[in-house]
Amino acid sequence: MKQVIATTGAPAAIGPYSQAIVSNGFVFVSGQIPLNPGGVLLEGSIAEQTARVLDNLKAVLEASGSSLANVVKTTVYLKDMAEFAAMNEVYARYFTEQPPARATVEVARLPKDVRVEIDCIATLK
């Protein structure tokens, strides 16, 4: 059994995917990029883009009945690994206690040429 999650608190899916899927007590959140909930791209530093991405993840998780505190795994995709420290500083403000497992990879290109994308898996509350 699976439940599709959609919220106006984060950018709408722009392709054949869901913002998130709830299944078997877990929330699988699709990769979020620095678009505001209206779909406008945030131009700015890696710190600003990371904050927007994490705010989007938070909104989708909350719509599913979960939260950032319940995230067990994230994957961070960076356009430039030289921006890791600045991304990590912002990331640490969102995951202050019992941070999730994480993989961070540098990629050649991301949608809309953004600098960061993050997806996650969380448990339900």
Side-chain angles (χ1 to χ4, degrees), residues 11-19 31 33 35 38-39 111-112:
I14 54 174
Y17 64 92
S18 300
Q19 287 175 321
I33 62 174
L35 297 174
K112 298 189 177 281

Side-chain angles (χ1 to χ4, degrees), residues 14-79:
I14 54 174
Y17 64 92
S18 300
Q19 287 175 321
I21 295 291
V22 173
S23 181
N24 294 321
F26 288 94
V27 183
F28 300 87
V29 182
S30 293
Q32 295 294 307
I33 62 174
L35 297 174
N36 71 20
V40 177
L41 181 63
L42 171 69
E43 302 282 345
S45 69
I46 188 67
E48 293 167 318
Q49 288 196 6
T50 301
R52 177 73 261 163
V53 167
L54 291 166
D55 287 341
N56 290 343
L57 285 174
K58 180 180 177 195
V60 175
L61 287 164
E62 289 175 353
S64 74
S66 189
S67 71
L68 288 174
N70 292 42
V71 173
V72 295
K73 172 74 168 75
T74 63
T75 305
V76 178
Y77 306 91
L78 290 175
K79 188 172 181 180

Side-chain angles (χ1 to χ4, degrees), residues 92-107:
R93 292 196 304 254
Y94 284 78
F95 296 105
T96 58
E97 295 182 27
Q98 299 180 333
R102 178 178 79 185
T104 304
V105 295
E106 181 178 86
V107 296

